[in-house]
Amino acid sequence: MSGLLALLDDVAAIAKLAATQLDDVAAQASKAGMKAAGVVIDDAAVTPKYVTGLPAARELPIVWKIARASFFNKLVILLPAALLLQAFAPWLLTPLLMLGGAYLCFEGAEKVWHLFAPHKEHGPQQAKTLDAAHLEEQRVKGAIKTDFILSAEIMTISLSQIDIDTFWIQAAALAAVAIGITALVYGAVALLVKADDFGMLLSAQGRLSLTRAVGRGIVKSMPTLMIVIATIGTVAMLWVGGSILVHGIRDLGWPVPYEMIKHAAQVVADAAGSAQAFLRWFVTAGLDGIIGLAAGFVLIPIVMKAVVPTMTWLFPEKT
C-alpha cells in the first residue's frame, strides 16, 4: 500500500512538472506569436487576392491547399531549421532577423509609396489565355512561395522571443505558434473570401427585411474591410520591421536608437500621468514604425535597381 501511495505521489509530481512546463510552452508561444503580429496581419490581407477571378466553388479548396502547404513549410522545414540554427549557429539569428525586418520595411514602404505613385498591380491577375485549372495552379504556387517567405519571418521572430533554453520547450512553443498562426490566418482568410457569398445569400433568401439588409450590408462593407485590413497590415509591418532593426542594431553594438526611443517613450508616459503603459507602447511602436518606413524608402531603389535585375539575370526562368 505504501508503495502504491509513493507511486501515486511520483505520478502527481510528474504531472505537476508537466503542467508547469506546458504553462511555459503556452507563455512562450503567446509571447512569440504577439511579436509576429505584423507578418500575420499582412498574410491575412495578402492571401484573399489569390482567389480573385476564380470560380466561387474553388475558393475554399484553394485556401485549404495554401494552408496545408503553410503547415508543411512551418512544421517540417522551418521549425527544424530554426532549432538547428539556434543550437549550432545562434550568432546568425540577429543578422537573419534583421534581414527579415528589412524585408518587412521594404514591403510596407513600397505599399505606402504606391499610394502616391500608383502602378499596375503585379500580383495575380485574371488571365484570359489560361483555363481555370491552370490559373488555379499558378495562383496556388505563387501563394505558397509568398507564404514561405512570411512563414520564415514568423518562425525567426518567434524563436528570437523564446527565452527558455530547454530544447523541447522551444520546439513545442514554435510548433504551437506555427499551428496557431496558420489556423488563425487561413481561418480568417476563408471567412473573408466567403463573406460576400454569405451576404448575397442573406440578401436574396432572407425571410426578414432585417436579414436581407444585413446581407446587403455585408456585401457593401467587404471592399472597405479589405482596405482596413491591408492598412493595418502595412502599419504592423513597418512597426515590427522597424522594431527588429532597432533591436538588432542594439544587439550588434550600437544601442543609441534603442535608447533614444526608450527615453522618448518614457518622457511622454511620465508627462501624461495616466495610461503610462499604453503610451509607452504607442510611442515606441510609432517611432519604430517611422524608422521602418525610412529604412523601407532607402531599400526601395536598392531592391528595384540592383536586387531585382540581379535576380532576373541569375534566374530568368523564375521571373
Side-chain angles (χ1 to χ4, degrees):
M1 188 64 183
S2 62
L4 177 61
L5 291 176
L7 177 61
L8 292 176
D9 186 58
D10 290 342
V11 170
I14 293 172
K16 184 177 180 180
L17 176 62
T20 301
Q21 292 180 328
L22 286 175
D23 286 342
D24 290 339
V25 170
Q28 295 298 314
S30 176
K31 177 183 176 183
M34 288 297 293
K35 192 64 177 179
V39 193
V40 173
I41 297 172
D42 187 67
D43 204 359
V46 167
T47 305
K49 72 179 182 180
Y50 288 98
V51 301
T52 302
L54 291 171
R58 296 300 304 161
E59 289 176 345
L60 291 183
I62 290 172
V63 172
W64 170 239
K65 284 183 180 180
I66 302 170
R68 188 172 54 196
S70 183
F71 278 118
F72 182 87
N73 288 340
K74 291 185 180 74
L75 295 174
V76 179
I77 300 176
L78 295 171
L79 191 152
L83 293 175
L84 288 172
L85 190 66
Q86 175 78 340
F88 296 105
W91 55 271
L92 271 176
L93 281 178
T94 295
L96 288 176
L97 196 59
M98 292 181 68
L99 183 63
Y103 169 78
L104 291 178
C105 293
F106 166 76
E107 283 287 311
E110 190 183 32
K111 291 179 180 180
V112 173
W113 175 253
H114 290 160
L115 292 177
F116 302 98
H119 75 308
K120 186 178 179 180
E121 178 63 42
H122 293 295
Q125 301 294 320
Q126 183 81 25
K128 298 179 180 179
T129 60
L130 297 177
D131 57 61
H134 191 191
L135 179 59
E136 177 179 326
E137 182 182 357
Q138 286 195 342
R139 295 280 183 87
V140 171
K141 287 181 178 179
I144 290 173
K145 290 178 182 177
T146 301
D147 177 86
F148 186 86
I149 296 172
L150 296 175
S151 294
E153 185 66 14
I154 287 170
M155 298 301 281
T156 308
I157 292 173
S158 300
L159 181 62
S160 71
Q161 296 301 306
I162 297 175
D163 52 17
I164 293 181
D165 294 332
T166 306
F167 178 83
W168 85 266
I169 290 182
Q170 290 180 339
L174 279 178
V177 170
I179 294 170
I181 283 180
T182 305
L184 175 64
V185 167
Y186 289 100
V189 169
L191 290 176
L192 287 172
V193 300
K194 299 307 292 184
D196 53 350
D197 293 341
F198 178 68
M200 292 181 65
L201 181 65
L202 284 181
S203 63
Q205 301 183 14
R207 294 185 179 182
L208 302 176
S209 59
L210 177 61
T211 305
R212 294 191 294 273
V214 169
R216 290 191 296 271
I218 291 175
V219 174
K220 291 179 180 178
S221 67
M222 285 309 298
T224 302
L225 178 61
M226 295 304 298
I227 292 173
V228 170
I229 293 174
T231 302
I232 294 174
T234 300
V235 172
M237 288 174 74
L238 293 171
W239 157 47
V240 174
S243 176
I244 290 171
L245 293 182
V246 169
H247 283 78
I249 291 172
R250 180 199 63 178
D251 293 342
L252 293 177
W254 190 42
V256 175
Y258 174 83
E259 295 296 338
M260 291 178 65
I261 291 174
K262 183 178 178 182
H263 176 70
Q266 190 61 52
V267 168
V268 172
D270 291 341
S274 59
Q276 291 190 357
F278 170 77
L279 286 174
R280 195 179 300 112
W281 170 85
F282 183 80
V283 173
T284 301
L287 293 176
D288 284 341
I290 292 173
I291 290 176
L293 182 62
F297 281 146
V298 171
L299 287 170
I300 287 175
I302 296 175
V303 172
M304 302 308 295
K305 301 296 184 181
V307 177
V308 171
T310 301
M311 295 299 294
T312 303
W313 179 71
L314 291 175
F315 307 103
E317 74 281 359
K318 299 291 185 181
T319 57

